[in-house]
Amino acid sequence: MEFAELIKTPRVDGVVLRRPFMPTVEGTLCLTGHHLILSSRQDNTEELWLLHANIDSTEKRFVGSLGTIIVKCKDLRVIQLDIPGMEECLNIASSIEALSTLDSVSLMYPFFYRPLFEVIEDGWQSFVPEESFKDLESMTDEWRLSEVNKDFSVCPSYPSLLTVPRDIDDESLCKAASFRHGGRFPVLSYYHKKNGMVIMRAAQPLTGTNGRRCKEDEKLINATLCAGKRGYIIDTRTIAVAQQAKARGGGFEQEANYPQWRRIHKAIERSNVLQDSLIKLVEACNDQSHSMDRWLSKLEASNWQSNVKEILTTACLAAQCIDREGASVLVHGTEGTDSTLQVTSLAQIILDPACRTIRGFEVLIEREWLQAGHPFQQRCAQSAYSNGKLRSEAPVFLLFLDCVWQILRQFPCSFQFNENLLIMLFEHAYASQFGTFLGNCVAERGKLQLSQKTVSLWSWVNRPQELERFLNPLYEPNNLVIWPSVAPQSLLLWEGVFLRWNRSTKCLDEAYQEMVHIIEYNKELQNKVNSLRRQLAQLETEDSPLQTP
Amino acid sequence: MEHHLIRRVEYVKLLNTYPEKKSALGTLYLTATHLIYVEQTNNNTRTETWVLHHHIMSVEKLPLTASGCPLLICCKTFQLLHLLFQRERDCQDVFQSLLRLSQPVKEEELYAFLYNPHQNEVDRRQGWEFISVANDFSRMGLSNEYWEISHLNKNYEICSTYPSILGLPKNASVAVVTGSAKFRSRGRLPVLSYYHKDTKAALCRCSQPLSGLTSRCVEDEQMLQAISQANSNCPFIYVVDTRPKLNAMANRAAGKGYENEDNYSNIRFQFQGIENIHVMRNSLQKLLEVCSMKSPSMSDYLTGLENSGWLRHIKSVMDAGVFLAKAVCDERASVLVHCSDGWDRTAQVCSLACILLDPYYRTIKGLMVLIEKEWISFGHKFSHRCGHLDTDPKEVSPVFTQFLECVWQLSEQLPCVFEFNERYLIEIHNQVYACQYGNFIGNCQKERLDVRLHEKTFSLWPYLLKNQHLYRNPLYRRSLESTVLRPSTLPLHFKFWCGMYNHYDRGMHPKQSVLDQLLSLTQKQVEGERTMTELQRQLAVADGVLPDPSGPINTPAEQDGPSEKTPTAPVVQSNGSCAPLINGDAEEAGPGAEKCNEKEGADPGATEHDLTSSEDKPVSVETEHSKEEEQESS
């Protein structure tokens, strides 16, 4: 196996593992092709199994012949390994470095992972576009499924099947695609059953400096409007940024050419800014100094919470257009693969109760993120401890999850899932044994043959044993549109992710257990009362049928 | 209680701070005690807003606008009322009435002196005797070998602002006690606040010594010695000055100051750096400005929060409390705490340490005892600090509010250790300012005695106890109660208390409350258990009374729940008297009893964004929408 040459020292004894809020463990450190393992060979002590892919960065320190490696993980945890012997330490450090930065996707763990569970439902087959379209067809006949992109030539980052207005033919789609960044022409994202309004998404139009226009593009989006109705275009960029984009061939829809549309600009930050925000936030959270002012000013300077607020506000705006104004919406930013997806997917969580179930949320992620071509592999290559030479890393998906958590916190009874599901998705987007988040778009995943060579995350999540952990005991289906508050006071730091490793969770876990206990006990009690009632009623009818008036 | 109507004004608009867009139209009433706003809505529902005049902190007439004359009312409960009058004259009238009504000059004008919660004199006396500091001393194990309950101050002659009974070290002579009192600011000598049975360490409190630059006092030194000797587990005592060092040094020049370590044997002296009442007052002022900002950006809010310094001060109080608790339980050392007068910062940190050390104070009743002991009886100047009367505004300071917030911060970190929930703390806070009950009127015990408060007013505690079901924490676990609390005091574990400072901006709060959900479940649980017992009884009766050839259908024992938590009540055996069989009785809390939380929905105004196009839709449109959605939900 090719990893062997990267592993100079496969095992070292007498290594001490230090983690905050956990007892130190002494044991044997082993390196395999995909894992860093620390085992104390004692019962009752937790072993460490760390995917190399989860390692974001490492630091070495030496005091005499004792070496220390500080391992910073993509899930934000920081662990310390004390390794006796300078040479061993250096070897281990360089192996970790090499193994955690493998360039080739096909060397990643998902291609080697064999599940220890029986795959009952193959997650790769769980979400097929045709199924969603059937649902849509039952509500309206104004849309069709187009195969124009079946060989990914019209738009490399779109899936092969796309939902488009019925009256627009494939030829027009091709023309519209040539007018949109990356070929991402406007497609259906969400159909609001209540009033038939829709959310569409696209990339920016390529108007350039001389105001190019495209009749097919105009026709395409106008086709989604009812007679006499106006729609909204939500450009996730500020007007200034959108103006600048013209110089590079991009731009925005001119009022003159889109008279039925009203354009609103918002200010969701671009990916490199978001990455910087994450790095600063995590740095602030790991600062152990005891100054309140320092903490608050670092939190503010990170801008993370501002980003959360802006994204949620924009999503609320889109939802308001649909549900309050009764108007359809087109959302885009620049590429239409980042802020656009944040907005369209969050708007659906606000509007559509189905997205608040576990299954519905999986469908949403599959449809609005994976198939819509969010470049997971690029965005999640590095996390908060990345230093220097960033390419296109950005916590776009993490911000989306954070926003979902904010809504969940404000509507704790309206979601079938709990915070654990969101945290799990964050972890797996950055490092996983499953193939779901590999690749950047459907076409790439096809080339990698992920569905044949790797296991889907959903195959694992949807097992009843696993699902249990993600169920919200407070859930009561709620068919309403849920409007979150976006006041700064209402948006909290997501402690479950950002303070996860900086606090003891014992008390919070106990509280959660207690809550589950109360709910479970109540259910049992009600069941028992009901069964007693039945018995009593039965006794009555058997013994004294005449007694009942 | 009658409400004499003083004034009534129609067509008054109430502007909402958050979400901004919504405003109500209604009628304003002023009674002798309350401001009442009745909102007129289309669908025959009356929304009433009641504001006690005592809760009003300030009334301000804002500049005239095109839409009317605005009046801004700020309350001590952090409620903001932004009223809009059609006529200038009405506005002026209400303004002047409120100024007069909200700032009583004499104590007898306070609500408590008129209010009678339908109790007779016996109830009243029992109410006042319900919480007793003396009982708490016995609970701690006093008197014992080392400590005794002393009546030296029964006429308030040694210290006029102390309670009549004091916990003192047994081996401190009267001369030492009186001598020490003379060397302490306002005679507030070192006395026992809390005795920790397990370690024999004591938490003591006093005011600053009158040490100046060079003075010393043998009796005071002996007093500290006596406190030290009362604890054989530790050779030294901590002396904690809760002030910043600079403030304490400045006091030396005025003949006050802090203990010189050279003069006292075996003390370890420590500053804690909690700021004074003026800094705290200004800090709260700044915090409230942040809370009332109109659609602030996240950055405005966080910067404002930082600049207010509020959380920094909360943390400093918490740090000091944690220091005391650690000294007592980890080092088994006694601690003497003071600040300047020993009635603000000292009260904060002593009571906080008590909560950290002793699970009793984390119960509903225990917190009452603690407040009665450390705050009311030890002379925290509630009248001055809360500005009950129209007196010196420089005496007002949110010292007690900060204590409540520290408790809340603890409950956020440790959700299972308190018997009460957040609402209990907020209710206590509101009651402190309401002056509806007598507990928080006056500045010390002597003052209260002088105005015969216990004869003229009622005590709050029985009222709170009667409503304790509202204040319960469903997650409270008694099994955890024996532990000493060890909260984290890292800055990132302190949160802004939206439930307190933005309490009235409902739009900001979670739309569904886990607390309500769990409280209603625990309520259902009680009913369910009762129903189950009753059904089991009926089954048993049916079994015994009606001869059934096929034998018993089900023995009650089989019906026993698996829960260890709730023992099923013993089944009443049939005694031969024929109990009628009852049909599955629908009134008794069945499974479909009631659904809570039907109201989350659909308040689009709650999202702050407005569509630029939707220039003020008529309110009715929105109402229609929400109706529609409610229908959907049902």
Side-chain angles (χ1 to χ4, degrees):
Chain A
M1 167 154 126
E2 51 248 89
F3 301 114
E5 61 201 51
L6 296 174
I7 305 172
K8 291 175 205 147
T9 305
R11 53 173 285 180
V12 188
D13 291 323
V15 173
V16 178
L17 165 71
R18 297 174 201 279
R19 291 173 287 188
F21 300 102
M22 289 200 211
T24 50
V25 181
E26 193 183 327
T28 304
L29 179 75
C30 300
L31 288 187
T32 73
H34 293 105
H35 285 96
L36 181 157
I37 302 159
L38 191 119
S39 162
S40 62
R41 296 173 197 268
Q42 278 167 11
D43 296 338
N44 308 327
T45 37
E46 210 190 323
E47 298 194 350
L48 176 75
W49 279 75
L50 190 67
L51 261 183
H52 293 315
N54 191 1
I55 295 174
D56 210 18
S57 72
T58 53
E59 283 168 26
K60 299 184 285 279
R61 278 205 307 252
F62 290 96
V63 178
S65 67
L66 181 76
T68 295
I69 304 178
I70 296 174
V71 179
K72 300 182 173 183
C73 304
K74 291 175 185 163
D75 60 14
L76 308 183
R77 139 176 61 159
V78 178
I79 60 175
Q80 182 181 328
L81 296 166
D82 293 346
I83 300 170
M86 170 110 55
E87 197 191 332
E88 282 84 353
C89 183
L90 283 171
N91 284 347
I92 295 282
S94 72
S95 299
I96 294 178
E97 174 92 35
L99 290 166
S100 61
T101 52
L102 293 176
D103 264 340
S104 166
V105 181
S106 56
L107 290 179
M108 304 291 271
Y109 186 49
F111 289 94
F112 300 84
Y113 169 75
R114 291 293 161 262
L116 293 171
F117 57 88
E118 191 196 345
V119 175
I120 300 161
E121 183 198 335
D122 183 2
W124 290 115
Q125 312 305 327
S126 292
F127 313 99
V128 269
E130 288 91 339
E131 287 294 317
S132 321
F133 187 72
K134 265 186 208 147
D135 290 345
L136 180 68
E137 251 184 333
S138 69
M139 297 183 277
T140 168
D141 60 356
E142 311 216 323
W143 299 84
R144 70 183 182 93
L145 215 47
S146 164
E147 292 185 356
V148 68
N149 198 39
K150 66 173 181 293
D151 54 0
F152 307 106
S153 59
V154 177
C155 172
S157 62
Y158 268 169
S160 53
L161 286 176
L162 291 156
T163 311
V164 296
R166 187 193 52 202
D167 298 336
I168 305 296
D169 57 24
D170 283 358
E171 200 181 324
S172 306
L173 293 177
C174 291
K175 285 190 178 141
S178 67
F179 181 63
R180 293 275 171 178
H181 190 118
R184 293 176 70 93
F185 58 89
V187 295
L188 182 78
S189 160
Y190 171 68
Y191 180 86
H192 197 45
K193 197 175 170 184
K194 190 165 112 188
N195 60 10
M197 294 302 125
V198 296
I199 300 178
M200 284 179 301
R201 49 178 161 75
Q204 65 176 344
L206 302 173
T207 56
T209 38
N210 43 18
R212 209 159 71 90
R213 65 185 287 190
C214 170
K215 291 276 185 204
E216 287 77 9
D217 186 74
E218 292 159 26
K219 209 176 125 203
L220 168 55
I221 71 166
N222 287 340
T224 65
L225 295 178
C226 310
K229 274 279 200 178
R230 276 162 63 100
Y232 288 89
I233 294 174
I234 297 176
D235 191 326
T236 61
R237 306 162 295 177
T238 60
I239 179 77
V241 174
Q243 287 281 8
Q244 285 159 17
K246 283 185 179 173
R248 290 186 301 274
F252 51 86
E253 295 82 357
Q254 292 295 337
E255 284 87 349
N257 303 337
Y258 297 84
Q260 287 167 276
W261 294 83
R262 207 193 132 81
R263 210 179 61 245
I264 302 174
H265 288 274
K266 299 298 292 180
I268 301 182
E269 292 288 1
R270 281 186 54 78
S271 53
N272 53 334
V273 180
L274 299 180
Q275 182 69 11
D276 188 45
S277 173
L278 175 66
I279 292 171
K280 283 186 182 155
L281 174 72
V282 172
E283 207 268 308
C285 293
N286 288 340
D287 181 354
Q288 300 287 309
S289 88
H290 281 259
S291 156
M292 180 64 76
D293 289 1
R294 194 173 144 115
W295 157 245
L296 287 173
S297 86
K298 280 183 155 189
L299 177 64
E300 191 271 323
S302 79
N303 260 326
W304 184 265
Q305 294 296 93
S306 302
N307 290 320
V308 168
K309 179 168 154 65
E310 188 62 27
I311 294 165
L312 258 183
T313 307
T314 311
C316 287
L317 171 68
Q320 250 174 298
C321 291
I322 298 281
D323 192 63
R324 295 287 151 191
E325 299 291 307
S328 286
V329 180
L330 169 66
V331 184
H332 70 73
T334 305
E335 288 102 344
T337 53
D338 296 294
S339 58
T340 306
L341 305 183
Q342 288 171 330
V343 173
T344 57
S345 53
L346 285 168
Q348 291 177 54
I349 284 172
I350 294 168
L351 293 168
D352 185 1
C355 294
R356 298 172 221 143
T357 64
I358 292 195
R359 194 70 179 193
F361 191 63
E362 291 173 0
V363 173
L364 184 77
I365 287 174
E366 186 70 32
R367 181 164 42 83
E368 289 298 294
W369 290 87
L370 290 161
Q371 301 192 7
H374 174 67
F376 275 99
Q377 198 168 315
Q378 288 176 10
R379 297 289 181 255
C380 301
Q382 295 257 265
S383 164
Y385 302 116
S386 53
N387 29 23
K389 55 171 195 313
L390 284 172
R391 292 169 298 234
S392 26
E393 288 80 358
V396 176
F397 187 61
L398 175 58
L399 269 163
F400 158 72
L401 295 174
D402 193 329
C403 292
V404 177
W405 177 80
Q406 304 286 352
I407 307 177
L408 169 62
R409 195 192 73 85
Q410 295 187 29
F411 294 88
C413 307
S414 298
F415 288 78
Q416 193 190 13
F417 52 88
N418 59 22
E419 183 182 7
N420 293 338
L421 183 77
L422 303 174
I423 298 174
M424 182 275 294
L425 286 170
F426 159 60
E427 291 173 337
H428 284 273
Y430 279 85
S432 176
Q433 64 270 44
F434 303 108
T436 299
F437 292 109
L438 292 181
N440 292 306
C441 56
V442 174
E444 266 187 52
R445 285 186 202 104
K447 275 195 210 114
L448 289 166
Q449 295 179 289
L450 290 180
S451 60
Q452 293 98 49
K453 294 187 171 169
T454 72
V455 181
S456 161
L457 174 67
W458 312 127
S459 304
W460 173 70
V461 172
N462 287 332
R463 303 171 71 228
Q465 303 91 307
E466 297 302 328
L467 271 181
E468 185 114 355
R469 199 154 61 86
F470 303 123
L471 285 174
N472 175 8
L474 294 165
Y475 179 55
E476 280 178 28
N478 166 10
N479 281 324
L480 301 177
V481 175
I482 55 174
W483 299 102
S485 159
V486 294
Q489 289 96 319
S490 310
L491 304 175
L492 305 189
L493 178 68
W494 188 9
E495 298 184 12
V497 164
F498 298 110
L499 303 187
R500 185 177 177 192
W501 313 102
N502 298 329
R503 61 175 180 179
S504 155
T505 53
K506 191 171 148 274
C507 300
L508 300 173
D509 292 345
E510 276 166 0
Y512 189 80
Q513 288 311 321
E514 189 62 34
M515 181 177 84
V516 172
H517 174 81
I518 292 172
I519 294 165
E520 294 295 316
Y521 177 69
N522 233 280
K523 275 188 198 141
E524 266 170 42
L525 195 66
Q526 297 304 334
N527 287 342
K528 227 170 292 154
V529 166
N530 289 342
S531 102
L532 279 176
R533 284 221 169 94
R534 271 196 304 277
Q535 281 175 32
L536 209 58
Q538 210 178 6
L539 257 185
E540 249 183 9
T541 45
E542 277 174 14
D543 296 331
S544 49
L546 299 175
Q547 208 171 334
T548 335
Chain B
M1 179 80 222
E2 277 178 46
H3 295 280
H4 300 287
L5 191 61
I6 294 175
R7 189 169 299 281
R8 174 169 183 269
V9 186
E10 283 185 318
Y11 304 111
V12 180
K13 241 189 191 171
L14 177 66
L15 306 178
N16 214 352
T17 332
Y18 187 87
E20 259 184 90
K21 271 201 314 190
K22 287 192 160 182
S23 64
L25 192 67
T27 309
L28 183 77
Y29 301 86
L30 294 187
T31 73
T33 53
H34 287 83
L35 173 158
I36 306 160
Y37 180 82
V38 183
E39 187 184 329
Q40 288 142 7
T41 50
N42 301 335
N43 45 357
N44 285 334
T45 49
R46 271 163 70 94
T47 321
E48 292 179 8
T49 309
W50 287 58
V51 178
L52 201 58
H53 294 321
H54 292 325
H55 273 160
I56 295 177
M57 183 165 60
S58 70
V59 194
E60 192 187 346
K61 270 180 76 179
L62 301 178
L64 220 67
T65 69
S67 41
C69 315
L71 193 68
L72 184 65
I73 301 169
C74 302
C75 299
K76 294 169 179 174
T77 54
F78 312 119
Q79 183 170 22
L80 281 180
L81 289 178
H82 200 153
L83 298 171
L84 203 62
F85 293 87
Q86 287 193 324
R87 291 188 307 174
E88 219 275 315
R89 214 188 59 208
D90 287 336
C91 183
Q92 179 64 23
D93 282 353
V94 170
F95 173 66
Q96 294 206 307
S97 308
L98 283 179
L99 276 190
R100 188 168 41 78
L101 291 165
S102 67
Q103 294 177 340
V105 184
K106 280 180 293 185
E107 221 151 44
E108 302 83 80
E109 292 173 49
L110 292 172
Y111 190 19
F113 291 91
L114 326 167
Y115 179 70
N116 183 343
H118 306 291
Q119 287 184 7
N120 58 33
E121 283 309 308
V122 180
D123 292 339
R124 187 201 305 253
R125 205 179 51 248
Q126 281 174 349
W128 281 114
E129 284 164 2
F130 172 62
I131 296 294
S132 143
V133 175
N135 285 352
D136 199 45
F137 275 137
S138 344
R139 197 187 60 86
M140 293 177 212
L142 253 59
S143 300
N144 61 20
E145 216 181 315
Y146 310 104
W147 293 88
E148 64 183 5
I149 294 168
S150 154
H151 295 275
L152 280 176
N153 197 38
K154 66 173 184 288
N155 297 321
Y156 305 100
E157 279 161 358
I158 296 178
C159 174
S160 64
T161 57
Y162 263 2
S164 55
I165 59 163
L166 299 172
L168 291 170
K170 249 194 179 140
N171 56 354
S173 66
V174 176
V176 165
V177 171
T178 49
S180 169
K182 289 197 181 99
F183 189 63
R184 293 279 164 178
S185 193
R186 299 175 201 270
R188 294 174 67 93
L189 72 152
V191 296
L192 184 77
S193 155
Y194 176 70
Y195 179 74
H196 194 243
K197 261 192 273 186
D198 299 350
T199 59
K200 294 193 182 138
L203 200 58
C204 300
R205 53 184 290 176
C206 61
S207 63
Q208 62 184 339
L210 303 175
S211 51
L213 297 169
T214 52
S215 303
R216 58 188 291 186
C217 166
V218 180
E219 289 89 349
D220 193 61
E221 288 158 26
Q222 286 170 343
M223 186 71 195
L224 267 64
Q225 193 76 43
I227 291 172
S228 183
Q229 282 160 0
N231 175 12
S232 52
N233 281 329
C234 184
F236 62 88
I237 65 167
Y238 279 108
V239 175
V240 174
D241 189 330
T242 57
R243 299 169 292 182
K245 187 171 182 185
L246 219 62
N247 302 21
M249 304 237 300
N251 267 296
R252 285 177 69 178
K256 300 166 191 168
Y258 54 94
E259 291 78 359
N260 183 341
E261 268 178 292
D262 298 338
N263 298 342
Y264 294 83
S265 48
N266 302 322
I267 68 164
R268 290 194 185 173
F269 188 83
Q270 184 90 29
F271 285 111
Q272 281 294 336
I274 304 175
E275 298 287 353
N276 65 27
I277 56 165
H278 310 294
V279 175
M280 299 308 190
R281 179 179 57 246
N282 292 334
S283 173
L284 179 65
Q285 185 56 43
K286 284 189 196 147
L287 181 79
L288 295 180
E289 280 164 23
V290 175
C291 294
S292 60
M293 275 196 282
K294 290 219 164 82
S295 12
S297 72
M298 184 57 82
S299 180
D300 292 340
Y301 163 73
L302 288 174
T303 311
L305 192 60
E306 183 197 336
N307 290 341
S308 76
W310 183 256
L311 286 177
R312 187 178 71 227
H313 300 314
I314 295 294
K315 178 173 148 52
S316 69
V317 175
M318 189 77 97
D319 278 330
V322 169
F323 178 86
L324 301 192
K326 275 190 181 155
V328 167
C329 83
D330 295 351
E331 298 190 65
R332 306 157 81 86
S334 291
V335 189
L336 175 65
V337 189
H338 68 74
C339 45
S340 298
D341 290 315
W343 51 42
D344 294 313
R345 289 169 273 206
T346 301
Q348 285 178 328
V349 302
C350 285
S351 48
L352 201 55
C354 285
I355 282 182
L356 295 171
L357 288 167
D358 191 334
Y360 176 66
Y361 299 121
R362 299 172 213 149
T363 63
I364 289 180
K365 186 170 176 191
L367 187 69
M368 297 175 186
V369 172
L370 185 67
I371 292 171
E372 192 73 42
K373 175 165 76 85
E374 292 300 314
W375 294 84
I376 298 174
S377 84
F378 268 119
H380 173 68
K381 304 199 292 173
F382 276 105
S383 270
H384 285 166
R385 296 293 177 259
C386 303
H388 288 334
L389 300 172
D390 187 14
T391 48
D392 185 2
K394 289 223 159 22
E395 281 283 323
V396 174
S397 187
V399 176
F400 186 69
T401 310
Q402 287 182 318
F403 161 66
L404 291 178
E405 174 163 345
C406 286
V407 178
W408 177 80
Q409 298 281 1
L410 287 175
S411 74
E412 282 289 291
Q413 269 192 48
L414 311 161
C416 300
V417 302
F418 290 96
E419 192 192 11
F420 47 82
N421 62 43
E422 174 189 55
R423 289 175 197 160
Y424 187 52
L425 300 173
I426 294 173
E427 177 65 22
I428 290 175
H429 184 262
N430 289 348
Q431 290 292 350
V432 165
Y433 287 94
C435 297
Q436 186 173 358
Y437 295 89
N439 307 55
F440 304 101
I441 294 172
N443 293 312
C444 60
Q445 217 175 60
K446 182 169 181 296
E447 239 183 82
R448 290 185 193 103
L449 216 61
D450 290 346
V451 297
R452 294 186 295 144
L453 207 73
H454 288 203
E455 294 158 44
K456 294 180 180 167
T457 71
F458 292 84
S459 169
L460 169 68
W461 307 129
Y463 164 79
L464 290 182
L465 208 69
K466 201 178 81 200
N467 291 310
Q468 59 174 313
H469 59 280
L470 301 172
Y471 309 130
R472 286 202 173 276
N473 171 14
L475 302 177
Y476 177 53
R477 280 174 43 173
R478 270 171 214 284
S479 59
L480 296 171
E481 69 175 12
S482 61
T483 49
V484 171
L485 302 186
R486 296 177 187 278
S488 158
T489 57
L490 277 179
L492 41 81
H493 290 120
F494 289 82
K495 298 178 201 164
F496 168 72
W497 192 5
C498 189
M500 175 68 107
Y501 306 106
N502 282 112
H503 183 79
Y504 293 90
D505 298 300
R506 303 308 302 178
M508 285 181 191
H509 300 251
K511 307 297 184 298
Q512 295 168 329
S513 153
V514 176
L515 177 61
D516 280 334
Q517 196 82 350
L518 292 180
L519 280 175
S520 90
L521 278 182
T522 41
Q523 184 59 35
K524 256 167 90 175
Q525 180 175 322
V526 173
E527 285 161 12
E529 277 161 2
R530 203 186 303 132
T531 315
M532 190 164 79
T533 317
E534 172 60 19
L535 287 171
Q536 281 170 341
R537 190 188 65 82
Q538 288 173 21
L539 262 178
V541 168
D543 248 7
V545 172
L546 302 168
D548 187 349
S550 63
I553 305 277
N554 229 328
T555 57
E558 281 171 301
Q559 294 297 320
D560 262 351
S563 160
E564 65 288 14
K565 204 172 165 180
T566 41
T568 325
V571 175
V572 182
Q573 288 299 326
S574 153
N575 56 7
S577 68
C578 220
L581 282 174
I582 301 168
N583 283 322
D585 152 8
E587 272 171 20
E588 229 167 333
E594 64 171 2
K595 271 187 82 179
C596 33
N597 274 307
E598 211 76 55
K599 56 185 179 291
E600 65 259 15
D603 185 357
T607 68
E608 71 173 13
H609 191 90
D610 12 331
L611 290 169
T612 12
S613 73
S614 63
E615 293 284 337
D616 274 347
K617 268 174 296 175
V619 187
S620 56
V621 175
E622 297 203 344
T623 330
E624 262 173 42
H625 269 299
S626 30
K627 264 190 224 150
E628 202 178 308
E629 265 157 18
E630 263 150 33
Q631 278 161 12
E632 264 184 31
S633 77
S634 53

